[in-house]
Amino acid sequence: MAIYIAVSHDYPKNVWPIVGQQIAWIALGTVISLVIMLFKTKFLWQITPYLYVFGLALMLLPLIFYSSELVASTGAKNWVTIGRVTLFQPSEFMKISYILMLSRVVVNFLQRYKDRERTVQLDFLLIFELALYTLPVLILLALQSDLGTALVFIAIFSGIVLLSGVSWKIIVPVVLTVLVVGGGFLLIFISKDGRAFLHQIGMPTYQINRILAWLNPFDYAQTTTYQQAQGQIAIGSGGLWGQGFNVSNLLVPVRESDMIFTVIAEDFGFVGATIVIALYLLLIYRMLKITLKSNNQFYTYISTGFIMMLLFHIFENIGAVTGILPLTGIPLPFISQGGSSIISNLIGVGLLLSMSYQNNLTDEKKIRYPQRRKKVVLKRLK
């Protein structure tokens, strides 16, 4: 619905082709998720390394096949484009492969050292092994200049590391270091000379503009921060109940994709936006419920990674369009226009459905074949 509203105003001649294409992607993703639901743990475990390598290979494609116009407008080489046709975004599918691979690494590690006492040294070894599979992904994303997606992978990494039981003696210093580095970066960035220095050492112009847009969205409202400023005005104009279905008085660039939340807030107001957030929370709650019910360690880490991915997407996207966080080009799960994102998200849902399906099968077996108690015969003492 939100996509229809956005494209009916921005691309009135292509409304149904765009909406129809999105419906087709949703249908395809749903079919894939239903197939994945039937996967057995052993099969998923076995194909995970191949999916990881395949995902890395796909991520090389945007560095070869890309659109110069798209790179000029977004600043990133993250879409595979052949001729004038933009096909897909490999990093979206790599997220799922990455989650599977990290989950496999953690389970392998815990099985390998199950007889040893957990120490800080072992925790560092686990982080090192996880980092070995993370580094190639981050290098490729750096070559693509896709900082936003890199942050998603870091969020997934963090969630899986936390669940693995890594000692607070490692986590606390890392968190403090990140806070200090982040604070230092902002102190450098707020000055003009500091921004010039960051640009000289390799920070892309589009990333500098996005952070500027976050810090001062209305100071550059007619130039670099036009999108953010218009988005925030659109959200505010929705008020409590919104302006009504298919009403749009402001032009917000790319609102069918990364800025889709502005459409929801403008047309359906604070109430509509709150309902969307509540539905996301309900989805996360259901996923957590399935996760806590499972006794399959592999699936537990998979679901944790996927939940972290969704949470970061939701938090970053809504935070960016409302001005709380910098804009990073991350889509809103299940709502933003785009085939790669919706199919990737539905694949993740398929993995959770598979987890739930396995849980139900286990419960049915317990009901059908309850453990028989051994009959104990007490002999009378003479």
Side-chain angles (χ1 to χ4, degrees), residues 287-307:
M287 288 180 174
L288 286 171
K289 194 174 180 181
I290 293 170
T291 304
L292 293 172
K293 188 180 178 182
S294 175
N295 57 2
N296 186 316
Q297 203 174 35
F298 183 42
Y299 270 115
T300 300
Y301 283 102
I302 291 171
S303 63
T304 300
F306 183 60
I307 289 169

Side-chain angles (χ1 to χ4, degrees), residues 300-332:
T300 300
Y301 283 102
I302 291 171
S303 63
T304 300
F306 183 60
I307 289 169
M308 286 300 297
M309 183 186 101
L310 283 184
L311 280 173
F312 188 84
H313 268 259
I314 296 164
F315 182 71
E316 167 56 30
N317 182 279
I318 296 177
V321 299
T322 54
I324 299 171
L325 296 170
L327 193 66
T328 57
I330 290 177
L332 191 61

Side-chain angles (χ1 to χ4, degrees), residues 20-305:
Q21 188 181 58
Q22 187 70 8
I23 292 171
W25 292 133
I26 293 171
L28 177 61
T30 302
V31 171
I32 294 172
S33 70
L34 292 175
V35 172
I36 290 173
M37 184 184 76
L38 302 176
F39 283 4
K40 292 184 178 180
T41 307
K42 184 179 179 181
F43 175 71
L44 195 60
W45 178 273
Q46 290 173 339
I47 66 170
T48 289
Y50 301 102
L51 292 175
Y52 175 79
V53 174
F54 181 64
L56 289 178
L58 286 180
M59 287 187 67
L60 290 170
L61 295 179
L63 301 175
I64 304 168
F65 304 102
Y66 61 89
S67 166
S68 300
E69 294 177 2
L70 193 60
V71 173
S73 62
T74 63
K77 293 180 181 178
N78 52 0
W79 285 87
V80 176
T81 304
I82 298 177
R84 291 186 171 273
V85 181
T86 300
L87 298 175
F88 65 100
Q89 188 176 358
S91 56
E92 289 293 335
F93 301 106
M94 186 62 207
K95 291 171 188 174
I96 301 299
S97 300
Y98 177 74
I99 290 169
L100 291 170
M101 194 66 221
L102 288 200
S103 301
R104 195 179 194 273
V105 169
V106 174
V107 173
N108 255 335
F109 182 89
L110 295 177
Q111 288 295 320
R112 197 162 67 242
Y113 295 102
K114 63 181 179 180
D115 296 326
R116 287 182 57 178
E117 183 183 355
R118 193 71 179 265
T119 61
V120 173
Q121 288 76 16
L122 272 182
D123 287 343
F124 271 118
L125 181 59
L126 172 59
I127 292 172
F128 175 74
E129 289 189 15
L130 293 173
L132 285 178
Y133 291 93
T134 303
L135 195 59
V137 180
L138 295 182
I139 290 172
L140 287 170
L141 288 170
L143 293 173
Q144 294 177 11
S145 299
D146 193 351
L147 174 63
T149 304
L151 293 174
V152 178
F153 281 91
I154 292 171
I156 294 168
F157 177 89
S158 302
I160 290 177
V161 166
L162 286 172
L163 184 67
S164 68
V166 168
S167 173
W168 62 269
K169 294 178 182 178
I170 297 174
I171 294 172
V172 171
V174 169
V175 171
L176 290 176
T177 302
V178 169
L179 291 174
V180 170
V181 171
F185 171 81
L186 285 177
L187 286 174
I188 295 171
F189 188 88
I190 56 176
S191 70
K192 190 175 181 180
D193 291 337
R195 291 194 293 274
F197 168 73
L198 291 171
H199 183 65
Q200 286 177 356
I201 62 174
M203 188 173 183
T205 303
Y206 84 95
Q207 289 181 0
I208 293 174
N209 289 338
R210 281 182 173 179
I211 298 174
L212 271 176
W214 169 52
L215 294 174
N216 306 295
F218 294 99
D219 289 356
Y220 309 91
Q222 299 303 317
T223 53
T224 55
T225 65
Y226 179 78
Q227 184 183 36
Q228 290 86 341
Q230 290 291 97
Q232 290 180 39
I233 294 170
I235 291 171
S237 68
L240 181 62
W241 298 103
Q243 298 193 30
F245 177 75
N246 207 16
V247 176
S248 181
N249 298 319
L250 291 167
L251 174 62
V252 181
V254 203
R255 59 179 156 190
E256 75 280 2
S257 182
D258 302 341
M259 305 294 285
I260 196 73
F261 192 75
T262 65
V263 177
I264 297 167
E266 183 180 11
D267 279 37
F268 305 106
F270 177 78
V271 173
T274 302
I275 289 172
V276 169
I277 294 172
L279 289 173
Y280 276 129
L281 292 176
L282 178 62
L283 176 65
I284 298 297
Y285 166 74
R286 292 292 300 170
M287 288 180 174
L288 286 171
K289 194 174 180 181
I290 293 170
T291 304
L292 293 172
K293 188 180 178 182
S294 175
N295 57 2
N296 186 316
Q297 203 174 35
F298 183 42
Y299 270 115
T300 300
Y301 283 102
I302 291 171
S303 63
T304 300

